[in-house]
Amino acid sequence: MSAKKNLGEQSELVHRTADKYAVRSHVAERIGEQHLIPLLQVVDRAEDLDLESLHEPYVVKGAHGCDMTILVREPASADHAAIRASVARWLDTDFYKHGWREAPYRGLPRRVVVERFIGDGTKPPADYKFFMFHGEPGMVVVDQDRFTDHTSTMLHPDWCEYAISGRFAQVALPEKPAAYDEMIDIARKLAADFTFARIDLYDVDGHVYFGEITHNPGGGLVRLQPREFDRALGDLWRLGTPIPERFVRRPVG
């Protein structure tokens, strides 16, 4: 059996939701435009970026892949030539061919979006990543200080720690966001069409913003410890078997 057949064909919706620009219309349809980060520009040529008109903090992102992000905290002193040079490099890159050959990115239009820098405009808000299996959360990862002192804390959906470790440092149990229940509901709606998807959300002063939908987190190559937990996630995906309680650190009392 070929690997392609074994892994299954990628649906049009998988490609659409992997595209960081095209996904916006899908999210608006499912949960409403109020959860979208305000879009300032979208271009397919670096020279079309109108950076001079931007006076509030903003974020530049490649829509056709990963690890293509520039945070601009102080637009007045931004190096526009350097930003355009980075964007030109992104747009010259076929992320599927030059990355890990992740099928969701195959053939995506090469575009760049500019969005408002949500939060306080100095550092990104905490990123809540919901690992959704058949429409239900199996794990929540809280990424903090991603562009400085990155921590990535892995939690059970009941907001208690998993007794596991990954490639990034973890912190003590983060504060549960005020809009957590709403975030779970939104994640369910956005994951309903997939057997697995990671739904990334932000809570900014109680308002939930959509980040992205990821179909192959870490290219499917990130290993967690103990390795038995990886198998437990696979059993949850393939068989619907709940994560064993031995991996969960529940509060005493």
Side-chain angles (χ1 to χ4, degrees), residues 19-21 23-24 36-39 41-43 49 51 58-72 83 86-87 90-91 109-116 118 127 146-147 200 202 210-213:
D19 182 322
K20 293 177 177 61
Y21 175 66
V23 70
R24 293 176 61 89
L36 294 172
I37 297 173
L39 179 68
Q41 297 178 29
V42 56
V43 301
L49 281 170
L51 302 176
Y58 60 89
V59 179
V60 185
K61 297 193 303 187
H64 55 291
C66 298
D67 299 322
M68 296 184 284
T69 304
I70 300 172
L71 307 182
V72 181
I83 293 172
S86 294
V87 166
W90 299 346
L91 294 173
R110 299 182 203 174
R111 294 180 287 208
V112 165
V113 297
V114 182
E115 296 176 339
R116 182 179 299 165
I118 59 173
D127 194 349
R146 181 180 169 190
F147 297 92
D200 297 0
Y202 303 99
F210 167 78
E212 64 180 74
I213 297 178

Side-chain angles (χ1 to χ4, degrees), residues 16-158:
R16 179 182 173 194
T17 53
D19 182 322
K20 293 177 177 61
Y21 175 66
V23 70
R24 293 176 61 89
S25 61
H26 175 73
V27 170
E29 292 166 5
R30 292 304 173 89
I31 62 172
E33 293 184 357
Q34 70 272 21
H35 296 292
L36 294 172
I37 297 173
L39 179 68
L40 304 177
Q41 297 178 29
V42 56
V43 301
D44 55 16
R45 300 191 312 164
E47 56 266 36
D48 290 339
L49 281 170
D50 183 10
L51 302 176
E52 291 75 14
S53 70
L54 301 173
H55 305 295
E56 300 295 331
Y58 60 89
V59 179
V60 185
K61 297 193 303 187
H64 55 291
C66 298
D67 299 322
M68 296 184 284
T69 304
I70 300 172
L71 307 182
V72 181
R73 298 173 175 85
E74 298 180 3
S77 59
D79 186 338
H80 294 168
I83 293 172
R84 289 191 176 96
S86 294
V87 166
R89 186 172 64 253
W90 299 346
L91 294 173
D92 281 340
T93 300
D94 182 326
F95 190 79
Y96 169 72
K97 291 182 178 179
H98 295 94
W100 290 337
R101 292 190 176 270
E102 298 174 66
Y105 298 115
R106 184 192 290 122
L108 293 187
R110 299 182 203 174
R111 294 180 287 208
V112 165
V113 297
V114 182
E115 296 176 339
R116 182 179 299 165
F117 193 143
I118 59 173
D120 62 9
T122 61
K123 69 176 184 177
D127 194 349
Y128 300 92
K129 302 177 181 295
F130 293 82
F131 287 66
M132 306 294 291
F133 299 84
H134 303 282
E136 290 296 324
M139 180 167 68
V140 182
V141 176
V142 183
D143 278 353
Q144 296 171 286
D145 300 321
R146 181 180 169 190
F147 297 92
T148 51
D149 188 17
H150 188 184
T151 62
S152 189
T153 305
M154 293 171 281
L155 305 177
H156 185 279
D158 290 344

